[in-house]
Amino acid sequence: MMIHFLIWGIAAFVISFVSTVFVKHFAFRGGLIDRPSSPRKIHTRPIARLGGVSIYLAFAIVVVVLLLTTPFLTAGRISLWQYVGLLLGGAVLMLGGALDDRFDLPPNLSFIAPVLATFVLIVFGVGVEKLTNPFGGVIYLLPWQSDILVFVWMILVMYTTKFLDGLDGLATSVSSIGALMIFLLAQTVAYYQPDVSLLSAVAIGALLGFLFWNFHPASIFLGEGGSTFVGYLLGTLAIISGGKLATALLVLGIPLLDAVWVVLRRLRQGGLRRVFVGDRKHLHHRLFDLGWGQRRVMFVYMIVALLFGLSTLFLQSRQKLVALILLGLVMLIAALLLVQHERKDSV
């Protein structure tokens, strides 16, 4: 059975790998380029945007082929309509992201595509029926409660990976680990879901095929659509796998808490208008400015995501909550130390 997952994962990898070459060429010809025109940019030469299209194409093509030729993806609890919603929502992100990459839309307009993509998911039946209560029992959700949870969850995860996309390969690699953790969890006896495993394998292949080109020194960036799509993919996998939100939370723990920290700081400094104005105050930027280097920062994030992600294979719900609290404390201590270090340097 593992060979089955490997074959389709490799198919997605090859499509993503090859299509990135053509997407990069198209991006340069169409002017969808990220130029180092502001102090927060760390690259020194123009880099193609629009890379998320390669991931989306690879994922969508393999999923459609599987749906048309095999019963593998629909043999479990995931319906055909949910797959349609997943792909349509991704297409919305690609379209909105391409417009943003070309015209550098203001934050209030770039927010439209993630919101619409989330609404598409909800309309096509992607939802959370129940959540495990870390203090015992199960919490069953009404449809409207599920819709609110899905909306908040998807926006949170998409903007976490969007904010994370500040160094070469960072958002893509961490999202790959998230998909891997859901794949492994869906292979366990307690949660065995071969359809989720297969979908996760396809996602991993698509992400890794692009990561080859996105690894430092990157020759192409995810772009606006790609930076939100990798979060969209991971967030949706967590939902349709039966509400494995804790798994995704632990994998994205550091970047998610960093995103919350940055948003709160921007709110305090300039109000709501300041929230979506980019800067170099994210944790990964601070580590880079300390001289860590892009590859080192990426590997540290990957190791933390892998360790906390693997913990979900062994921990119970209450223990996962403890792990999340521990992760929060680690993030808080790291942030305070970095802020203190910057203040000393500025004196």
Side-chain angles (χ1 to χ4, degrees), residues 71-282:
F72 300 143
L73 288 179
T74 52
R77 298 180 60 187
I78 310 173
S79 70
L80 178 61
W81 280 110
Q82 289 175 322
Y83 287 114
V84 172
L86 170 60
L87 296 180
L88 284 179
V92 170
L93 290 176
M94 292 302 101
L95 177 59
L99 291 173
D100 200 340
D101 288 342
R102 181 63 181 86
F103 300 107
D104 289 318
L105 301 177
N108 61 315
L109 292 181
S110 63
F111 187 67
I112 294 175
V115 169
L116 287 179
T118 303
F119 279 139
V120 169
L121 272 183
I122 293 171
V123 168
F124 279 82
V126 175
V128 180
E129 295 180 1
K130 59 184 178 181
L131 294 171
T132 302
N133 188 341
F135 301 103
V138 175
I139 302 173
Y140 289 93
L141 301 181
L142 297 172
W144 66 269
Q145 294 172 323
S146 170
D147 292 345
I148 292 174
L149 176 61
V150 170
F151 181 83
V152 173
W153 167 254
M154 293 301 297
I155 295 298
L156 181 66
V157 176
M158 281 190 280
Y159 270 84
T160 294
T161 55
K162 173 182 166 67
F163 289 164
L164 184 61
D165 187 34
L167 299 180
D168 294 351
L170 192 55
T172 312
S173 58
V174 172
S175 299
S176 300
I177 290 176
L180 175 62
M181 292 305 105
I182 292 177
F183 171 85
L184 294 176
L185 198 60
Q187 282 291 294
T188 60
V189 176
Y191 300 102
Y192 187 62
Q193 297 168 295
D195 53 338
V196 172
S197 294
L198 180 55
L199 192 64
S200 300
V202 174
I204 294 167
L207 289 164
L208 293 182
F210 174 76
L211 182 60
F212 178 89
W213 304 102
N214 191 226
F215 190 81
H216 182 72
S219 61
I220 185 170
F221 291 156
L222 280 168
E224 178 69 20
S227 66
T228 50
F229 179 68
V230 294
Y232 171 87
L233 200 52
L234 181 56
T236 307
L237 282 173
I239 293 172
I240 63 179
S241 59
K244 296 181 178 61
L245 308 190
T247 300
L249 277 175
L250 283 168
V251 170
L252 291 176
I254 291 295
L256 191 149
L257 292 168
D258 175 57
V260 172
W261 173 281
V262 168
V263 167
L264 291 176
R265 177 179 56 78
R266 291 176 183 175
L267 278 172
R268 181 171 53 85
Q269 292 178 346
L272 191 60
R273 292 183 178 181
R274 184 75 179 81
V275 169
F276 298 107
V277 178
D279 57 30
R280 286 185 59 165
K281 295 298 183 180
H282 288 285

Side-chain angles (χ1 to χ4, degrees), residues 1-10:
M1 191 65 177
M2 196 60 67
I3 295 296
H4 173 74
F5 300 135
L6 189 61
I7 290 172
W8 291 104
I10 290 175

